[in-house]
Amino acid sequence: MSNNKPNLDSNNNINLLHDFFQNIKNFDKMDIKEIEPTTENINEYVFEGDLNIVINELVNLIFKEINEGKSKESMKKHVINYINYQMITLQQIYNWLLNNQDTSNSIYLFGYLNYHGIGTNSNKQKAIELCQKAAELENIVAQIDIANMHIYGKNIDNDYNLAFQLSEKLAKEEYASGINNLGYCYNNGIGTDLNEQKAFELYQKAADLGNSAGIKNLGQCYFKGIGTAVNKQKAFELFQKAADLENSTGISNLGWCYYKGIGTDIDKQMAFELYQKAANFGNDTAQYNIAYMYEYGIGVKKDIDQAIYWYKKSAEQEYQYAKNKLKVLLEK
């Protein structure tokens, strides 16, 4: 295996991931504190060097899910679950990576843990520096994540030219996430000129590869008439498909369709349930929408405390409308 790219061909790695995904549904229902590692297991991993296998598997997992368009919260949950599945503490793997950054995978994963605050406090600047280092070593996952950070990241010094260049490179290499990101760049003029037709075509290509973010973005094109004619029914169908793949924005957009009757009948109860699901995935817009429904008793019993709770969750992610709403409610 090359240290520069995730090992996607190793039979051993594939078997480990197969075992992991057989158990992932159970983990999703489990509090991570339920799994307590033993000193014997930890020492065995560190002594025998088996953590190198775990590191590669974690990078493979992130690579797989990032190309599928999974939400960052969903990926973070699966990363934590996988670490616990190996009977290793979050602090243990963080400390090991701190002293063992000798491959691009280990450098990247150390950056990932710092970015998401796994085993440590979140340090986005340090994370970006580490991921940039791994990306320069031609680590594909790091290149995808660096592009993501600069395109979608908040409270960082976004380098849109770098984001576009990386997305263009990754798209040429047929990585679904890179194709979707390149479409987003053309759609929003990130590091390049606006080109809605190119955006539409790239979203279509990413969607054809099964990328749920591409599917969701393609739905937005049909909803708003970006690079194609407006087709609300097609938009609804694509949001439904993205939601089925657990794309949090797709779920939230589907909720909006039910709320407003876009491509389907109005169903405020269904809208609430979908917003709740997307909010639990960490989607800031859905958190705002569910707070709004609690505030005014739409599709659910009026509950100001719940409204404030969800406005706070959304505001913590820098969603400006939530910040404004929260300020008004707290002043009351």
Side-chain angles (χ1 to χ4, degrees):
M1 164 189 170
S2 167
N3 289 328
N4 295 335
K5 297 183 181 181
N7 186 349
L8 302 178
D9 298 320
S10 166
N11 290 331
N12 184 44
N13 287 345
I14 291 171
N15 289 336
L16 284 171
L17 272 182
H18 174 75
D19 292 341
F20 170 64
F21 281 113
Q22 290 299 311
N23 290 279
I24 195 69
K25 291 183 180 179
N26 292 330
F27 280 127
D28 286 343
K29 301 173 184 177
M30 186 186 304
D31 187 288
I32 62 173
K33 294 180 181 179
E34 291 181 13
I35 303 176
E36 294 295 337
T38 64
T39 303
E40 179 183 355
N41 283 331
I42 291 173
N43 290 338
E44 180 184 346
Y45 270 113
V46 175
F47 181 76
E48 294 183 2
D50 288 345
L51 274 175
N52 282 310
I53 296 174
V54 174
I55 300 310
N56 291 336
E57 284 307 306
L58 282 168
V59 175
N60 286 343
L61 173 63
I62 295 168
F63 176 81
K64 178 179 182 294
E65 296 204 349
I66 208 169
N67 268 309
E68 289 175 350
K70 294 287 178 65
S71 70
K72 62 181 180 180
E73 289 300 322
S74 177
M75 280 191 287
K76 178 181 176 180
K77 184 177 182 180
H78 289 170
V79 165
I80 292 173
N81 285 340
Y82 183 80
I83 292 170
N84 281 285
Y85 180 62
Q86 302 301 321
M87 304 297 283
I88 309 168
T89 66
L90 303 181
Q91 188 66 55
Q92 176 76 19
I93 199 164
Y94 180 87
N95 289 341
W96 191 88
L97 284 167
L98 179 64
N99 297 298
N100 292 274
Q101 297 173 50
D102 52 355
T103 69
S104 68
N105 276 355
S106 60
I107 295 168
Y108 164 71
L109 189 62
F110 192 50
Y112 180 91
L113 298 186
N114 274 280
Y115 192 88
H116 295 281
I118 299 173
T120 185
N121 294 324
S122 177
N123 186 333
K124 291 187 177 180
Q125 186 56 46
K126 182 177 182 180
I128 290 171
E129 291 171 2
L130 287 161
C131 289
Q132 181 68 48
K133 182 178 179 181
E136 289 170 358
L137 293 171
E138 292 300 319
N139 185 289
I140 296 300
V141 192
Q143 291 176 352
I144 294 172
D145 228 358
I146 279 289
N148 285 343
M149 290 175 189
H150 285 295
I151 291 173
Y152 310 108
K154 299 176 182 178
N155 298 322
I156 67 169
D157 187 14
N158 302 84
D159 186 337
Y160 292 133
N161 288 329
L162 175 62
F164 176 79
Q165 290 166 11
L166 280 173
S167 298
E168 189 173 45
K169 171 187 179 295
L170 292 162
K172 287 178 180 177
E173 295 172 358
E174 299 294 313
Y175 292 107
S177 182
I179 294 168
N180 176 67
N181 281 346
L182 187 60
Y184 191 88
C185 288
Y186 278 115
N187 193 22
N188 294 277
I190 294 175
T192 188
D193 295 331
L194 285 167
N195 190 323
E196 293 186 351
Q197 185 59 43
K198 276 191 177 181
F200 174 80
E201 291 170 359
L202 287 161
Y203 288 152
Q204 181 69 70
K205 187 173 182 179
D208 290 342
L209 290 172
N211 183 277
S212 65
I215 295 168
K216 175 265 298 182
N217 286 330
L218 190 63
Q220 291 278 43
C221 288
Y222 281 107
F223 178 72
K224 296 181 178 180
I226 299 171
T228 188
V230 171
N231 187 329
K232 299 294 180 65
Q233 183 61 42
K234 184 70 172 177
F236 172 80
E237 292 169 359
L238 286 163
F239 291 149
Q240 178 70 69
K241 186 174 181 180
D244 290 343
L245 294 171
E246 296 194 340
N247 181 279
S248 64
T249 306
I251 296 168
S252 182
N253 287 354
L254 188 63
W256 179 248
C257 287
Y258 279 106
Y259 189 90
K260 301 292 289 186
I262 298 167
T264 188
D265 295 331
I266 291 176
D267 187 335
K268 298 296 175 65
Q269 180 61 39
M270 178 64 77
F272 176 83
E273 292 173 5
L274 288 163
Y275 286 148
Q276 180 73 73
K277 184 175 181 180
N280 290 337
F281 272 121
N283 184 277
D284 55 358
T285 305
Q287 290 169 345
Y288 171 86
N289 286 334
I290 199 171
Y292 184 90
M293 295 182 83
Y294 270 121
E295 181 183 1
Y296 295 101
I298 302 170
V300 68
K301 185 178 179 181
K302 185 175 180 178
D303 189 328
I304 297 300
D305 289 338
Q306 280 292 310
I308 290 173
Y309 171 82
W310 285 109
Y311 280 137
K312 281 183 177 179
K313 297 288 278 187
S314 182
E316 286 169 0
Q317 299 194 70
E318 304 298 324
Y319 195 69
Q320 191 58 50
Y321 289 117
K323 287 183 177 181
N324 298 341
K325 272 286 190 178
L326 188 60
K327 182 179 179 181
V328 172
L329 284 179
L330 292 178
E331 285 177 351
K332 289 182 180 178

